[in-house]
Amino acid sequence: RAHMSDLVKKLVAGETWGAQPQQSEDPDDEDEDEQQILGSSGELFLYIKRSLLQCSAVETGETMANLSKAFDETLVKYAEALHKYVAELARRGKPLTSKEEQSIAVVLNTCEYCSDTSEQLEGSVRKSLDESYQATVSYAGVREQYDDALNTSMSALVASLLNKMDTALAPLQRTRWAELESVGDQSGYVDGVHAVLKEAVPSLRKILSTGYFSVLCDKCATGFFQRYQSTILKLKRVSDSGVQQLLLDTHAVKTVLMGFPTIGMTKVEMETAKKPASFLKLVTSESGKLEALLKVLLSPPEQVEHNYSALIKGGSKEQLQRILEMKGLRTAAPQVFDVTEATRAAGQAWGQNVRERLAGMDQANLKSNFESMTQSFSGKVVGQ
């Protein structure tokens, strides 16, 4: 056991934290989409496999059972080393570099590989043992350790991308939205968000498996719109033109996020790539929540409270109060959340109509038609 513990320390100390293709045991397997893992993980399992074969050739009783426990302890130590590497990068308090993000993605792959391989190892060890010892073999705890390290890796990747997108949103907070008198092209922060994704996503897509890349897309999209909405709700005052500009920006951001899965692909790759329908639905849903809030913010003063109740599902008095403050209005009336289904349906129908019209416009048409759409809402009493 001491030798195996020293082996883990040696492998981790010599690890470059870069990717190595997972080697298939089938010589006829020419799969080009080999999982990229840490070289140390392959070396560790190769050593374990050789030890298993050597021991089982001469002993299948107590000595083999003890070796199985040594495998368990060794794999746990390796999982702890992977977790430590990612955790130390994540808590440094400064943005991760692209190379560090890629290393974490490789660690995530390695955790998946180790979890799957440890399950196969468990079966092989049991077959090598006398029947009386087989029930003592379980690597469930090992797999839990790797699953934990995998989740930490995913969280670190999501946090890194969201923090960089937060930085891209900084100009939004500095803009004097209360003084904006007309709607222009999309704001510069939209391009900033796009630049963050364009730099980070292509390399992560190449490293991660399709399943975990989809998880990354979903978590980043959900987290971004939550932060985007929070940033907007922290603005002190916003003019009607400012709200219209934010609505236009939100539509542009939605377009950027919808391109998350395929950003940076070549034209040839785009021809065969498909964006998951579930992801597009998620982005539409998350952006729709923000669009609804902005439409409420665009309402005439006397209609804000009714429109909030009609358009916002699961709203709160605190959020409504923030919207009123952004318009320079007083405290909301207590009865604001007492709204009929007809009122809610009318507001939602108008919102759906705007979304459909926005979806069919390019940037030029969007800008030229935006005022007519928003004015049709600002002059309407919801439910009447």
Side-chain angles (χ1 to χ4, degrees):
R1 295 185 183 183
H3 178 68
M4 286 193 181
S5 179
D6 290 340
L7 175 63
V8 170
K9 292 179 182 178
K10 180 180 179 181
L11 290 174
V12 172
E15 182 58 72
T16 64
W17 305 100
Q20 295 290 333
Q22 177 185 336
Q23 298 300 317
S24 172
E25 295 186 5
D26 182 359
D28 297 324
D29 186 0
E30 298 181 354
D31 184 6
E32 295 181 356
D33 296 325
E34 291 178 321
Q35 187 179 37
Q36 298 184 59
I37 60 175
L38 295 173
S40 56
S41 63
E43 292 182 49
L44 178 60
F45 275 104
L46 180 60
Y47 178 87
I48 289 174
K49 181 179 180 180
R50 288 173 177 170
S51 299
L52 174 62
L53 290 174
Q54 291 171 0
C55 184
S56 62
V58 295
E59 223 284 349
T60 58
E62 184 177 357
T63 301
M64 185 70 232
N66 289 334
L67 183 62
S68 172
K69 293 178 182 178
F71 291 162
D72 186 309
E73 294 172 2
T74 300
L75 290 170
V76 167
K77 287 183 181 298
Y78 186 65
E80 291 172 346
L82 299 184
H83 189 282
K84 180 181 178 181
Y85 172 78
V86 174
E88 287 182 349
L89 282 180
R91 63 169 173 254
R92 287 183 316 174
K94 61 180 182 180
L96 298 178
T97 65
S98 295
K99 186 176 181 179
E100 288 169 340
E101 289 173 347
Q102 292 164 30
S103 293
I104 291 176
V106 174
V107 171
L108 189 154
N109 280 353
T110 303
C111 291
E112 181 184 21
Y113 164 73
C114 290
S115 180
D116 293 344
T117 308
S118 65
E119 185 172 11
Q120 298 169 15
L121 176 64
E122 181 181 311
S124 297
V125 171
R126 282 181 177 172
K127 290 178 182 179
S128 301
L129 279 166
D130 293 340
E131 187 174 352
S132 60
Y133 288 98
Q134 289 179 359
T136 65
V137 180
S138 173
Y139 294 160
V142 170
R143 291 191 288 277
E144 288 179 4
Q145 290 285 333
Y146 284 108
D147 290 345
D148 185 44
L150 188 154
N151 291 331
T152 298
S153 300
M154 177 60 74
S155 296
L157 285 178
V158 172
S160 179
L161 291 181
L162 289 179
N163 288 338
K164 290 179 179 180
M165 286 192 277
D166 271 350
T167 300
L169 288 176
L172 187 157
Q173 298 173 295
R174 296 194 295 266
T175 301
R176 297 182 178 181
W177 295 98
E179 300 175 10
L180 206 63
E181 297 180 352
S182 62
V183 180
D185 296 329
Q186 67 185 37
S187 299
Y189 69 82
V190 178
D191 295 326
V193 172
H194 182 265
V196 169
L197 297 180
K198 190 174 182 180
E199 179 183 3
V201 171
S203 58
L204 295 179
R205 183 175 56 238
K206 290 179 180 178
I207 295 172
L208 296 173
S209 66
T210 301
Y212 283 113
F213 179 68
S214 294
V215 172
L216 179 69
C217 292
D218 290 351
K219 288 182 176 291
C220 283
T222 301
F224 171 76
F225 277 109
Q226 290 172 349
R227 295 183 181 207
Y228 186 31
Q229 176 175 303
S230 176
T231 299
I232 289 176
L233 288 176
K234 289 177 182 177
L235 301 176
K236 292 183 178 180
R237 290 287 297 274
V238 185
S239 67
D240 283 354
S241 292
V243 180
Q244 293 173 15
Q245 181 66 53
L246 287 170
L247 270 167
L248 186 148
D249 291 345
T250 299
H251 180 72
V253 165
K254 173 185 174 182
T255 301
V256 169
L257 266 291
M258 280 188 163
F260 193 125
T262 57
I263 194 168
M265 282 188 175
T266 64
K267 291 183 178 180
V268 175
E269 291 173 327
M270 288 288 288
E271 290 176 358
T272 57
K274 291 184 179 180
K275 299 174 186 176
S278 59
F279 176 74
L280 299 180
K281 183 178 180 180
L282 183 150
V283 172
T284 299
S285 174
E286 294 299 320
S287 61
K289 296 174 185 177
L290 179 53
E291 288 171 346
L293 278 175
L294 292 172
K295 291 164 191 169
V296 173
L297 188 56
L298 192 61
S299 306
E302 68 276 9
Q303 297 174 24
V304 172
E305 296 179 13
H306 281 292
N307 290 345
Y308 183 83
S309 297
L311 293 174
I312 307 304
K313 184 177 181 180
S316 66
K317 292 182 179 179
E318 292 76 15
Q319 188 180 72
L320 173 59
Q321 182 59 40
R322 183 77 275 274
I323 291 175
L324 291 170
E325 290 169 356
M326 291 169 74
K327 289 184 71 68
L329 301 176
R330 295 182 179 180
T331 305
Q335 68 272 21
V336 64
F337 293 97
D338 182 16
V339 60
T340 66
E341 287 302 315
T343 300
R344 186 180 299 279
Q348 292 174 341
W350 182 88
Q352 179 62 30
N353 176 263
V354 170
R355 282 193 292 274
E356 291 174 355
R357 293 174 67 183
L358 283 172
M361 295 181 185
D362 56 25
Q363 181 74 22
N365 287 332
L366 179 61
K367 180 180 176 182
S368 63
N369 287 277
F370 209 84
E371 290 191 5
S372 65
M373 285 190 290
T374 52
Q375 286 173 359
S376 69
F377 180 64
S378 62
K380 178 182 289 188
V381 178
V382 174
Q384 291 187 356

